[in-house]
Amino acid sequence: MVVGTGYVGLTSGSSFAELGHNVVCVDIDERKINQLRQGIMPFYEPGLQDIVVRNVKERRLFFTTSLSEAIKSASVIFIAVGTPSLPNGSVDLSYVEQVAIQIGKNLIDYKIIVNKSTVPVGTADLVERIIKENMTDKKVSFDMASVPEFLREGSAVKDIFNGDRIVIGANNLEVADILMKLHEKLNIPIQITDIRSAELIKYAANSFLAMKISFINEIANIADGVGADVIEVAKGIGSDKRIGNQFLNAGIGFGGACFPKDVKGLIEIAQKSGRTLPLLEEVIRINDNQYRSVINKLLSVYPDLTGKVITILGLAFKPNTDDMRDAVSISLVRSLFEVDPSLKINVYDPIALEAAKQVIKGNVEYCNSIEEAISNSDAILIVTEWDEIVEFDYKKNINLLNNPVIIDGRNCLDLSGGRIDGFIYRSIGRKPI
Ligand code: UDX
């Protein structure tokens, strides 16, 4: 049984079904459950619909709103509900707590209960306590475990089947053994550890990756100052295996549901244990300011932005998702209007336009194609490196623009073969063209 049909719950639940297990996914949202039964996905994720539809058809995957029914036949329960940030940066565990109460009230025989959501160190103990408090039959036993999820949105299904490792946090070998069997067909190396270490591994992994991005963004800003090329620098350092070449793409900064939340979450975990994490505080500060480098580049081309038309290409926090959580485009638009309220901003995203309408405020024109978005524009700001945006023939369409200016916030355009001839081109940590 998997509780929660968000990115983590739905992809893990349907993948377990794909491995041959019988899975019931539970969610309190009736509309979502009805749609999932009909094969309609609650969010855009490549490849997910295929495995959901196939496993529903083959009767290995079921959806229900009734936790009390689903729990009867379950031997392992994954808690995969949302753990958003509270305004003060700490993790909101209220959904996890609600699920723990429900599990407690409905527990009639032995289960393994696994935290799959990203939760602060010590949450397994909290869930255990809540379940015990709410159990009607105090003699029933259960074990807690932690199996953190490392999937990336946009390649979640691929990541589940091709992960680098599975981390299983369990406090006894019998539980670890059952959870190993559950995952064994994936053929991915498994690390067995204690629950608290498993909980910390998730935060440490995401914080380290976020730190790599802020590091290369700092190097990009230095490269701008000294006339070096950050792509060359990233290649040069990344080919050292000790450093590794991934997550060294300089750009407008990281967003999404995980990195900003998890780095802040780890800082809070440190504070609660009487320590500080100045390194990670700096990672966040660098990231919060990184979008300004795009605005500064725009201002270096146009010191006066009065009445200008600006096009933003890509709104989602990264390609292949419609997720707008902590997307840099939100701060970018807000800040552009602060710099000059007379701006006209056209935006385009292949998938995230509807989601963006809920969170991007101000006088923004939502466009249905790149051509429409760049028509009569004075500058294109590339924020998300969707294939369609990367591969677009800017040179062929140069006449649509009022002024041929591209600020590439993802360093994603191919500059070879005269592809941007005629444009004023600025990117992050590379020489101006
Ligand atoms: C991340 C982790 O990668 C995943 O393991 C974890 O479990 C969940 O959080 P996700 O947030 O889906 O996944 O996206 P990811 O591909 O990691 O990108 C996060 C952000 O960093 C995006 O905004 C992306 O544009 C940015 N990024 C990534 C960079 O700016 N540069 C890079 O080199 C890599």
Side-chain angles (χ1 to χ4, degrees), residues 374 388-398 419:
I374 65 174
E388 184 190 341
I389 292 169
V390 174
E391 285 156 17
F392 185 76
D393 194 338
Y394 293 92
K395 196 170 145 188
K396 192 171 145 209
N397 289 284
I398 195 165
R419 282 179 46 125

Side-chain angles (χ1 to χ4, degrees), residues 270-284:
Q271 281 163 356
K272 283 196 171 148
S273 71
R275 288 160 177 84
T276 56
L277 265 174
L279 176 66
L280 294 185
E281 283 166 14
E282 202 58 21
V283 166
I284 290 291

Side-chain angles (χ1 to χ4, degrees), residues 301-336:
V301 179
Y302 295 117
D304 179 7
L305 282 169
T306 314
K308 291 278 183 286
V309 179
I310 305 296
T311 301
I312 295 184
L313 294 184
L315 300 169
F317 85 97
K318 64 180 226 176
N320 298 322
T321 176
D322 59 355
D323 198 340
M324 287 295 297
R325 285 177 289 178
D326 266 321
V328 187
S329 57
I330 303 170
S331 342
L332 180 67
V333 170
R334 192 184 49 232
S335 190
L336 280 169

Side-chain angles (χ1 to χ4, degrees), residues 17-33:
E18 185 77 359
L19 294 179
H21 304 298
N22 292 315
V23 181
V24 188
C25 288
V26 182
D27 202 295
I28 49 171
D29 185 337
E30 211 159 306
R31 191 166 159 262
K32 205 170 168 189
I33 290 296

Side-chain angles (χ1 to χ4, degrees), residues 149-153 202 206 209 213 247-249 253-255 258-259 317-318 385 410:
E149 188 52 72
F150 300 104
L151 56 83
R152 291 165 301 172
E153 288 178 26
K202 173 64 197 245
N206 273 355
L209 292 171
I213 299 170
F247 279 71
L248 286 179
N249 297 324
F254 59 77
C258 291
F259 285 174
F317 85 97
K318 64 180 226 176
E385 68 279 33
R410 294 290 180 185

